[in-house]
Amino acid sequence: MDALLKVRVWRGARDGAFSLYDVPRQESQTVLDVVTHIQRHLEPTLSYRYACRVGMCGSCAMTVNGRPRWTCRTHVAKVADGDTLEIAPLANLPVIKDLATDMSEFFDKWARARGQFQGSATRHEPFATVSPESAERQAANAGIECIGCGVCYASCDVVEWRPEFLGPAALNRAWTLANDVRDVAQRERLRAVAGDVGCHACHTQGSCTERCPKQLQPTVSIAGLKRLAGRAAIRGKL
Amino acid sequence: MRRPGDFRARQHPAYWAFLAHRLSGLGLALFLPVHFWALGQALTGADALEDFLRATDQPLFKFAEWGLVVLLGLHMMGGVRLLLIEFGSGTGLRKNWIAGTAGVGVVAGLAFALALAR
Ligand code: SF4
Ligand code: SF4
Ligand code: FES
């Protein structure tokens, strides 16, 4: 464990390049630990983003040795290629500087996919009862733990090919709400996600599902939306 | 500036399955016009078709035919997998079907090669 890690880190934005740093290895070291070490001891102007350090906030995702990952819960031992590590900003998002990307379009698309819950009951009415065993609740449960890290968005080819594509996370969010029996904006939501930059643009490549650190399956959620949209179209209710 | 996706991020079975499905689909789509043109030869008379069919007895044509069978096998199995993901119950990327697709491709290729060799 006394060895040095050779870390290539992306510096700059439009015109950038990788810079090389030597970082001492430590036991149970995470990729975020490495980046933090570089910023605290070697390169004070390095920009990156994190908050919780425990895999809850979704702000620390970067490209590590070519693959998008949540860095705070990625152990160096698991991803280092021998003693080298390459750290770059997430793909498919505008780079602000170094390892920080601009995630506004990612979240704007959640809004465009009608990712907001819309209920009709007020606080004066009794709670809705939703059986944990119901198919809807289980489908919603399967996708609800998204932390908004953007890893899926950065791994999706369709996002790269069609920048307007809503992307796996926004569609996964729409699917959880489509299974919320209290929500009253179902038709609008289905319209929002059924266009040609919505669920039907997905090619089922599965990169989102392969890479999601929370082991969610946006591919499956998107397939669910395709079925819903198809059924609604047949019934003339889209 | 956006960074494009890295090839290392695309190394997983579901992506290979997508590639196989897309490439076999393109291959088959390219073949279809040729196929219809060949069938169309029958309209210009039995002789024309016979001439054409004799021409297809060459090794190059046999090889192309073999490729076609493999493409069909791959595309069919990949298609069933996609239908299962989109319409079937249950979850996951159906990697068992990816393995099955590769298997059927190999079996179809070998079986047809054997049939050609006889
Ligand atoms: S399954 Fe669809 S949304 Fe997910 S990475 Fe593939 S193309 Fe993108
Ligand atoms: S679906 Fe997974 S990869 Fe995508 S933003 Fe949510 S937690 Fe991250
Ligand atoms: S810092 Fe919050 S998820 Fe990594």
Side-chain angles (χ1 to χ4, degrees), chain B residues 43-105:
Chain B
L43 296 177
T44 48
D47 285 348
L49 186 66
E50 272 307 314
D51 282 349
F52 177 76
L53 288 182
R54 219 166 299 124
T56 61
D57 260 344
Q58 291 162 11
L60 185 66
F61 272 91
K62 291 290 166 206
F63 179 70
E65 216 171 19
W66 174 82
L68 206 64
V69 169
V70 173
L71 290 187
L72 266 175
L74 290 178
H75 204 72
M76 182 187 74
M77 291 293 285
V80 174
R81 168 177 170 260
L82 287 183
L83 288 174
L84 279 177
I85 291 179
E86 311 245 296
F87 295 105
S89 60
T91 58
L93 292 173
R94 312 266 177 182
K95 292 193 181 161
N96 46 351
W97 276 83
I98 299 179
T101 303
V104 165

